[in-house]
Amino acid sequence: MNKKMHFNSKVIHGGQILDKSFGSVMPPIYQTSTYAQTTPGGHKGYEYSRTHNPTRTALENALASIESGKYGLAFGSGLAAMDAVLKLLKPGDEIIATHDLYGGSYRLFTKIFETFNLKFHFVDLQKINIIKSKINKSTKLIWVETPTNPMMNVIDIKAVSKISKENNIMLAVDNTFASPYLQNPLLLGADIVMHSATKYIAGHSDVILGALIVNSNKLEEQLRFIQNASGAVPGPMDCFLTLRGIKTLAVRMERHCLNAKKISKFLVDNPLIEKVFWPGLSDHPNHLIAKKQMNDFGGMISFIPKGSSYKNAIKIIENLKIFTLAESLGGVESLAGHPASMTHASIPKNVREKSGVSDSLIRLSVGIEDYQDLIDDIQQAITY
Ligand code: P1T
């Protein structure tokens, strides 16, 4: 039944089975660490909650459904999900990764996994030939983030997957900025989809959670082993909150996209703004790929105020009243941030500036408030 449902229905029903005990419409929060056994091994499929938990199972099935995948795996955070993917690799293996990506991802790659002798090549994955030039027999993984955080570059997943398949390299896509509403990387040839479900999937800024979705039985088995052996699992309450968030993912995303469209137009037309980064703009360098690959253009916008001044950028984000100055994104409330000193502070200045993350860049996570109120807020903030 799930395969035939449209996305709007999958978010409500995908992978869900009605509770057998009392018919509760939402899955119960199984707040338990362990399960009674009649004899050692005599249990109903659940023996210890690091390994399995029924609330987590309900979430994992929902995640698989909305990403059009076979298996979903939930983790304690987006970074814990990425950590599990990297543990598929061995010392000496090489990874080609997007050069402009979330600062915490860069930190995990360089400060943790480089010390275990994994080698990372950070390149501009918009340029397919650069990928080819970095491939050698040790290359085991291509890591794509699209749209990228915070520069909003769009990488052609299908084109990258063609190369990964030709060279027998695993392709993982961080789909956090798009959410499964905008694109399903498994359908475009990816082997692993990763989410910081903390963001659009959960959608209410009240939970930290990560997800992986795969089709291959072998990958599921390996990742399930790592999930249990390393133990970075979310608790049942967080699984429940994420499941509840998923129910409204489609309607929330529709509004996020509409609001971002209105705000990006306002910014583009405003003489106090120097540059706007949003894939829905016709002059965005990857607009055509975004149009082909995504169902809409998302709720994240970055921009640089006139004069490209750090002081102006800080003043503007401090002036905002409806937008909250905060890390994170994808919640119902609008947030504003300064990537250079916040989300991307762990990337050395010269490295982040090469990918465009300048000191004058402001990032907006456009929420689902009335767009006119958001526009008025930006207007008053930039005309201080
Ligand atoms: O915060 P966590 O759930 O561990 O997710 C990490 C992560 C992974 N990938 C992307 C693209 C992300 O944006 C994030 C987290 N990002 C922020 C907290 C932020 O404000 O950009």
Side-chain angles (χ1 to χ4, degrees):
M1 165 177 118
N2 288 346
K3 286 216 166 67
K4 292 205 185 81
M5 280 194 287
H6 293 96
F7 190 81
N8 290 342
S9 306
K10 277 187 184 178
V11 290
I12 315 245
H13 302 291
Q16 302 307 294
I17 45 170
L18 203 62
D19 159 56
K20 288 196 184 75
S21 307
F22 300 104
S24 77
V25 168
M26 277 300 281
I29 302 166
Y30 283 92
Q31 193 70 50
T32 186
S33 59
T34 191
Y35 307 82
Q37 308 190 16
T38 49
T39 184
H43 53 77
K44 298 176 177 170
Y46 292 89
E47 57 183 333
Y48 187 59
S49 279
R50 172 163 31 76
T51 320
H52 293 114
N53 174 283
T55 317
R56 197 171 97 212
T57 306
L59 170 63
E60 290 181 332
N61 291 341
L63 290 165
S65 170
I66 59 176
E67 270 297 2
S68 292
K70 213 160 149 191
Y71 305 107
L73 295 97
F75 292 84
S77 68
L79 284 175
M82 292 180 69
D83 180 90
V85 174
L86 292 162
K87 285 175 177 161
L88 293 167
L89 307 181
K90 301 269 177 302
D93 286 350
E94 298 192 12
I95 300 100
I96 300 171
T98 326
H99 74 322
D100 121 56
L101 81 177
Y102 171 54
S105 307
Y106 182 86
R107 183 178 54 199
L108 177 70
F109 291 166
T110 56
K111 295 278 192 275
I112 305 286
F113 282 99
E114 272 184 359
T115 64
F116 292 112
N117 204 20
L118 292 184
K119 185 170 177 192
F120 293 85
H121 302 272
F122 294 100
V123 299
D124 182 354
L125 293 185
Q126 296 164 83
K127 300 188 179 116
I128 296 297
N129 280 340
I130 296 190
I131 308 179
K132 288 186 182 157
S133 75
K134 295 290 176 197
I135 293 177
N136 61 51
K137 60 180 186 330
S138 299
T139 312
K140 293 290 154 39
L141 175 68
I142 299 179
W143 186 271
V144 168
E145 185 181 294
T146 181
T148 60
N149 180 359
M151 296 313 299
M152 306 305 302
N153 291 313
V154 176
I155 292 154
D156 187 338
I157 299 171
K158 235 183 195 165
V160 178
S161 85
K162 187 166 175 289
I163 299 177
S164 71
K165 283 188 177 25
E166 280 166 7
N167 292 279
N168 204 20
I169 299 166
M170 202 160 51
L171 171 61
V173 176
D174 182 338
N175 204 23
T176 300
F177 263 40
S179 91
Y181 174 83
L182 294 181
Q183 71 193 9
N184 297 128
L186 293 177
L187 301 179
L188 301 169
D191 301 295
I192 302 176
V193 178
M194 175 259 151
H195 279 282
S196 168
T198 311
K199 311 296 176 336
Y200 288 108
I201 289 184
H204 294 74
S205 307
D206 53 7
V207 64
I208 298 281
L209 197 133
L212 298 177
I213 301 97
V214 297
N215 277 326
S216 139
N217 297 352
K218 184 171 168 221
L219 266 180
E220 194 256 350
E221 197 181 304
Q222 290 174 316
L223 290 166
R224 196 63 79 190
F225 177 83
I226 293 167
Q227 184 192 40
N228 183 49
S230 288
V233 293
M237 182 68 188
D238 286 348
C239 291
F240 176 86
L241 287 171
T242 306
L243 256 175
R244 187 171 68 163
I246 288 174
K247 307 273 175 191
T248 55
L249 178 62
V251 287
R252 282 188 283 110
M253 287 310 297
E254 211 177 297
R255 179 68 76 86
H256 282 298
C257 293
L258 170 71
N259 284 2
K261 184 177 173 183
K262 298 281 186 191
I263 289 172
S264 55
K265 180 169 176 2
F266 164 79
L267 291 170
V268 166
D269 291 345
N270 197 300
L272 295 173
I273 304 302
E274 181 119 3
K275 184 133 185 59
V276 184
F277 304 87
W278 187 63
L281 296 170
S282 57
D283 63 350
H284 182 282
N286 318 122
H287 178 62
L288 292 180
I289 297 166
K291 226 168 145 177
K292 185 179 70 164
Q293 176 164 288
M294 300 165 71
N295 295 324
D296 205 328
F297 302 105
M300 297 300 296
I301 303 173
S302 294
F303 71 95
I304 295 174
K306 197 97 211 149
S308 305
S309 128
Y310 164 74
K311 266 174 78 179
N312 274 0
I314 298 297
K315 190 94 187 108
I316 290 168
I317 48 178
E318 285 176 355
N319 279 351
L320 288 163
K321 293 189 165 57
I322 297 180
F323 283 84
T324 302
L325 170 52
E327 306 250 354
S328 205
L329 59 115
V332 290
E333 59 290 291
S334 293
L335 303 180
H338 181 246
S341 65
M342 294 167 73
T343 50
H344 292 68
S346 53
I347 305 181
K349 188 174 163 76
N350 64 325
V351 177
R352 71 170 157 75
E353 282 187 342
K354 258 191 225 154
S355 58
V357 187
S358 67
D359 288 345
S360 56
L361 189 78
I362 294 173
R363 191 189 75 178
L364 301 178
S365 171
V366 178
I368 64 169
E369 301 95 335
D370 190 286
Y371 62 76
Q372 195 55 54
D373 292 335
L374 298 176
I375 288 172
D376 292 347
D377 193 25
I378 299 171
Q379 177 71 53
Q380 68 78 26
I382 59 179
T383 47
Y384 53 89

